[in-house]
Amino acid sequence: MDQSPAASVSRRDALSALGLSAVATAIGATPRSAAASENTVTSLPSGRLHQSVARWCFSKTPIAELCTTAKSLGLVGIDLLGPEEWSVPAQHGLVCTMGNSFGTIPLGFNRVDHHDKLVSDAESYIPRAAAAGVKKIVVFSGNRAGLSDGEGIANCVTGLRRLMPTAEKHGVVLCMEMLNSKVDHKDYHADHTAWAVEVAKGLNSPSFRLLYDIYHMQVMEGDVMATIKANLPWIAHFHTAGVPGRNEIDAAQELNYRGIASYIAGTGYQGVFAHEFIPRRDGVSSLREAVEICTV
């Protein structure tokens, strides 16, 4: 799995190519208990965190080869797979830790005119994911395009609420990802943790949680550990990458990932901690280093 430098590859392009402990009172609301499968992975790597790796960061590597490497490094699964690859991790004793979205990053739930298509697509997508053992699916707010924060939050709640019965019935958790609008995803609406938390509060469903991308939120707001502490009841998934550049999580970037991993593990978090960085060096070596850093 020798991954050549891929700084020019964006997540949006790669997804297209592939087919796509804190208390709740600290944030003013108590989330309903999530489904038992929401944050639980049965196989355990070394250490306290269930680590995974994002497929799109190794898009040039055959999926079977990526699974073999992931298994050898003690990972529990592969993140952000499309339907055509959902079944592959199980052949290697792994799981698909998160499925790709049925929507796109810029066209999300923050606009009412997107709702009917998103809901229609999701109503068929969610049961298929559940049947394949995929228990989490990433979803997006969409771009602002002139909307206020209040409008975007309210529209997301309205649209996503239509999917909660299906998601709850099938034990699937829809995870809204916060992305930075400063560098990578200009005009993206859910670009701060507090924004996405308001959506989660409005839904208050066990089938809706947040994907906290450490890279993106460091770029937008910093204060990573305090933010995680205040909002952990709403977080079901983490992504990593180095800042700046979205590359390896080594000493050449500004975040102390061993400290962050130790903090998250110390809360008793039982969800997935997935690596989503673009390797500048040999992919296997970079992934191995990341796993070692976060094995706490």
Side-chain angles (χ1 to χ4, degrees):
M1 191 181 70
D2 186 7
Q3 180 72 7
S4 60
S8 63
V9 178
S10 73
R11 174 173 174 183
R12 190 176 305 166
D13 291 342
L15 288 175
S16 175
L18 289 169
L20 283 182
S21 187
V23 294
T25 52
I27 52 176
T30 302
R32 287 172 56 197
S33 297
S37 60
E38 175 191 326
N39 284 336
T40 302
V41 177
T42 54
S43 59
L44 293 173
S46 300
R48 294 173 289 169
L49 292 177
H50 305 300
Q51 297 185 59
S52 178
V53 62
R55 173 70 171 119
W56 76 270
C57 299
F58 295 89
S59 60
K60 295 181 180 179
T61 303
I63 182 62
E65 183 181 339
L66 180 60
C67 287
T68 298
T69 298
K71 185 71 173 178
S72 73
L73 295 176
L75 304 186
V76 299
I78 309 297
D79 224 54
L80 299 176
L81 293 178
E84 71 283 357
E85 293 182 332
W86 283 345
S87 65
V88 181
Q91 299 167 20
H92 300 266
L94 303 171
V95 297
C96 172
T97 49
M98 178 165 285
N100 278 340
S101 186
F102 44 84
T104 65
I105 291 172
L107 304 178
F109 284 92
N110 66 336
R111 302 197 77 87
V112 173
D113 55 347
H114 298 158
H115 287 181
D116 286 349
K117 177 170 173 41
L118 287 169
V119 170
S120 176
D121 291 345
E123 290 286 3
S124 61
Y125 195 86
I126 291 170
R128 290 172 59 205
V134 178
K135 297 299 186 182
K136 295 180 193 170
I137 298 170
V138 63
V139 297
F140 303 108
S141 68
N143 289 354
R144 287 182 180 81
L147 283 179
S148 70
D149 283 344
E151 288 175 302
I153 290 166
N155 290 345
C156 282
V157 171
T158 297
L160 285 160
R161 184 176 286 133
R162 292 168 61 182
L163 291 176
M164 291 302 98
T166 298
E168 291 177 11
K169 174 183 176 181
H170 291 280
V172 170
V173 181
L174 304 183
C175 296
M176 179 171 284
E177 183 170 16
M178 293 86 80
L179 304 171
N180 83 75
S181 61
K182 187 183 295 185
V183 177
D184 299 287
H185 300 284
K186 299 292 186 180
D187 202 42
Y188 186 70
H189 217 154
D191 61 355
H192 282 78
T193 306
W195 194 100
V197 166
E198 288 304 310
V199 176
K201 288 179 180 178
L203 290 166
N204 198 23
S205 166
S207 280
F208 183 85
R209 288 292 185 270
L210 306 180
L211 193 176
Y212 185 92
D213 189 303
I214 297 167
Y215 159 76
H216 284 298
M217 291 301 93
Q218 172 68 6
V219 170
M220 288 304 298
E221 60 192 21
D223 208 15
V224 169
M225 286 196 282
T227 303
I228 292 170
K229 179 180 180 180
N231 299 290
L232 189 58
W234 302 108
I235 297 171
H237 210 84
F238 287 96
H239 279 169
T240 77
V243 182
R246 197 179 190 143
N247 302 121
E248 283 85 351
I249 62 171
D250 56 18
Q253 52 84 51
E254 67 191 40
L255 286 165
N256 173 12
Y257 265 102
R258 189 162 186 84
I260 293 169
S262 294
Y263 173 75
I264 293 171
T267 68
Y269 172 75
Q270 290 297 304
V272 170
F273 190 85
H275 299 292
E276 196 192 19
F277 61 86
I278 302 170
R280 293 170 299 183
R281 309 187 292 271
D282 169 70
V284 174
S285 298
S286 293
L287 184 57
R288 180 182 295 111
E289 180 184 36
V291 173
E292 290 173 351
I293 289 169
C294 296
T295 298
V296 293

